[in-house]
Amino acid sequence: MSLATASRVLNGSTRKVAESYRERVEAAAEMLGYTANLSAQATARGTSAVVGLVVADIADAALGQLAAGVARGAEEAGLVVTIAVTGRDPLREVAVVRALRGHRPRGLILGASRTEGPDATDLQSELEALAGTGGRVVVLGRRTSGLRAVGTDERAGAAALGETLARLGYRAAVIVAADEGIRTFDDRVAGFSDGFTTGGGTILDVRRAGFTREAGYASAQALIDEGVTAGTVVVGIRDVVAIGVMSALREAGRRVGEDVAVAGFDDIPFAQDAAPGLTTVRVPLEELGYRAVRAVVEPEWDAASPLLPVEVVVRGSTPPRA
Amino acid sequence: MSLATASRVLNGSTRKVAESYRERVEAAAEMLGYTANLSAQATARGTSAVVGLVVADIADAALGQLAAGVARGAEEAGLVVTIAVTGRDPLREVAVVRALRGHRPRGLILGASRTEGPDATDLQSELEALAGTGGRVVVLGRRTSGLRAVGTDERAGAAALGETLARLGYRAAVIVAADEGIRTFDDRVAGFSDGFTTGGGTILDVRRAGFTREAGYASAQALIDEGVTAGTVVVGIRDVVAIGVMSALREAGRRVGEDVAVAGFDDIPFAQDAAPGLTTVRVPLEELGYRAVRAVVEPEWDAASPLLPVEVVVRGSTPPRA
DNA sequence: TTGTAAGCGTTATCAA
DNA sequence: TTGATAACGCTTACAA
């Protein structure tokens, strides 16, 4: 029989083929352990069954959860996910998008990245080129430019955290963040400041230290040297930095919670297991990743699709102030 | 000029092309934002520049670090990594290998998986089929079958942990593990038992609970109900399990370390930040991932390549017993 | 050194 | 419903 017939039975063609043929083909394929060459399929079809994921660091707890959601969505959609890590380097970011572009992916999911600066326009043109070959770009975070986006309501969540802490009796806060320019994190700073000051608190300082545990650790050490007053709450821009803060405090003999309170963002698994538990705002990272691939796959996309809600989780790291 | 010439300058051909041509081609490519269609390249060449990574769970702290190493190695080798997650389901494992196989990857890196059972032979034939299309399979863990392998000396590390704990004065241990059948974890159980009993300790029990934080949590609760005697050390087969154990103990009002000691394996980042710090055996996961892609890339492979050493790290969760 | 042309493994169009 | 056959975008003998 012809190759065409075989192709029709093995690959999702809508066309009908006689049962007898179908059986024979399937039997043969099974016997030979045949698997379609997806590259050839991709060249013939002009599009491949892959979705790219670009993140800063795949070992990061939060981004790992995100990736897990992406993997789940991709599996469900019959796509494979290829990942590329940028280390938060804008240059590498455009480089990896370029590399991924070579695969003519069905879509590309772009983790929180800088939205301005000279490299941002390079990125922009890479993304346009990608779109030009039929790939759908979805960015994580609030909608920007004409791309599809899935995001969480960071601003509202951060404000809620600020209000909650104020209500618990905190009056002074220090935020440990990184340089401005990443929308998600800028929203957190702004939202928290809003909520906290509205509740009657004061933002003592916004430190631009970085996104890592080490950034938190170092910042907390500095804070201690400068003599943080008891009853201050240090909020890390991500749970990992908050964890670093907690460790530094503990090592310096401060009691987390009683002496200095700590809060974060993301609700990574360890936030629950830290001692005391870390107060944080829970971001549905896994769900976000899943939705991102839905956004790639769905033919129609509602530009006004709502931000996912986030939720503040109060734990022992911010006990009520007497 | 001809397509052939253009192809030669853009894609690593050893052949020479006149400088004037080269320049013109490069300029044009740059201007058009041209990127080779890797799928087409792959069909033409018969092999693609991708390496597959198969892991149980990409959100897992340890596997995330592994993935980071793989990503680094792949980047360096000019490969992209496609990941597939199995959730430790043997059926899904053969399914994802099959799916990855469609891409005719340059190589496949296989996280710790079951080495026996009915599905293991299915896996085996998938792997052979993959090898048949020129893909190199490297398994993580001790060498088994004819495949390339990179691994750590789990057995020695576990024994060292057992000895260390015995030397610290512990005389009773409970191991929280999952079902047998995964070499790496079996080695940990065996090695620890060896070292601990050699040092004069007794293994009270090996619980088969699972690989997760929740498994550790539940096991610890059960242990408490059954009345663990103070001074026992509970060792989790992975740090995440140990973390779960610690949380359950703490919630039950037990002091980790003083009342019941806890230890784990992997040295994930949070082992250091837990309070008290978690005693564990450090496994160079990132390095392991990196070496795995080296093992894919390198033409020659020494079957007798040594296992990477691991190192025990003592922290506050196992204070010396008076 | 360059160009021509024959593949690579699929899909899809068009006749049969 | 089936089968030839021309794409798909690229690589690589082989000739020029």
Side-chain angles (χ1 to χ4, degrees), chain A residues 265-267 280-284 309-313 315:
Chain A
F265 287 88
D266 285 343
D267 197 27
T280 188
V281 2
R282 174 176 302 151
V283 177
V310 302
E311 172 193 7
V312 0
V313 182
R315 299 201 178 94

Side-chain angles (χ1 to χ4, degrees), chain B residues 33-230:
Chain B
Y34 171 88
T35 289
N37 181 326
L38 297 184
S39 294
Q41 206 165 277
T43 62
R45 296 216 251 242
T47 176
S48 67
V50 346
V51 52
L53 172 63
V54 178
V55 287
D57 172 16
I58 189 62
D60 181 86
L63 297 177
Q65 284 191 270
L66 182 82
V70 169
R72 179 166 63 92
E75 163 84 20
E76 190 180 297
L79 268 29
V80 318
V81 9
T82 87
I83 77 148
V85 339
T86 67
R88 299 199 189 279
D89 175 350
L91 259 55
R92 276 182 50 72
E93 192 167 10
V94 343
V96 303
V97 170
R98 190 149 232 281
L100 253 30
R101 195 148 77 71
H103 286 276
R104 306 288 185 271
R106 194 72 55 80
L108 186 63
I109 297 170
L110 204 57
S113 63
R114 297 212 118 60
T115 53
E116 48 196 48
D119 305 310
T121 74
D122 287 0
L123 218 209
Q124 193 63 31
S125 47
E126 284 299 334
L127 295 181
E128 274 159 19
L130 176 28
T133 61
R136 280 177 192 143
V137 177
V138 2
V139 306
L140 262 21
R142 243 165 68 207
R143 186 175 157 77
T144 170
S145 64
L147 306 169
R148 295 181 176 203
V150 316
T152 43
D153 199 344
E154 296 290 344
R155 177 116 200 179
L161 177 64
E163 282 161 29
T164 303
L165 293 182
R167 202 173 309 121
L168 284 171
Y170 292 94
R171 285 293 166 267
V174 174
I175 301 177
V176 179
D179 290 334
E180 289 182 275
I182 299 182
R183 176 96 67 126
T184 299
F185 302 122
D186 293 347
D187 280 353
R188 288 179 180 179
V189 172
F192 181 84
S193 302
D194 246 34
F196 195 59
T197 54
T198 299
T202 306
I203 306 291
L204 264 24
D205 195 6
V206 181
R207 317 281 254 225
R208 301 295 177 175
F211 291 119
T212 61
R213 182 246 181 221
E214 276 64 38
Y217 189 88
S219 297
Q221 284 186 321
L223 244 22
I224 292 164
D225 287 348
E226 297 164 20
V228 234
T229 62

Side-chain angles (χ1 to χ4, degrees), chain B residues 2 4-5 8 15-18 21 44:
Chain B
S2 78
T5 309
R8 293 197 261 262
R15 304 204 24 185
K16 293 231 164 314
V17 7
Y21 275 160

Side-chain angles (χ1 to χ4, degrees), chain A residues 158 175 177 184-194 206 208 237:
Chain A
I175 302 177
T184 298
F185 302 121
D186 293 347
D187 280 353
R188 288 180 180 179
V189 171
F192 181 84
S193 302
D194 246 34
V206 181
R208 302 295 178 174
I237 200 69

Side-chain angles (χ1 to χ4, degrees), chain A residues 207-297:
Chain A
R207 318 283 255 224
R208 302 295 178 174
F211 291 119
T212 61
R213 181 243 180 226
E214 276 64 37
Y217 188 88
S219 297
Q221 283 186 321
L223 245 21
I224 292 164
D225 287 349
E226 299 164 20
V228 234
T229 61
T232 299
V233 54
V234 180
V235 356
I237 200 69
R238 306 177 65 219
D239 283 350
V240 288
V241 346
I243 296 287
V245 169
M246 288 178 66
S247 280
L249 290 173
R250 195 157 40 230
E251 282 178 24
R254 301 297 208 284
R255 289 164 309 167
V256 174
E258 287 103 282
D259 296 337
V260 179
V262 180
F265 287 88
D266 285 343
D267 197 27
I268 59 175
F270 191 70
Q272 174 186 177
D273 291 308
L278 176 63
T279 291
T280 188
V281 2
R282 174 176 302 151
V283 177
L285 268 342
E286 207 271 351
E287 175 70 14
L288 199 64
Y290 179 81
R291 296 217 180 185
V293 353
R294 295 308 314 163
V296 163
V297 165

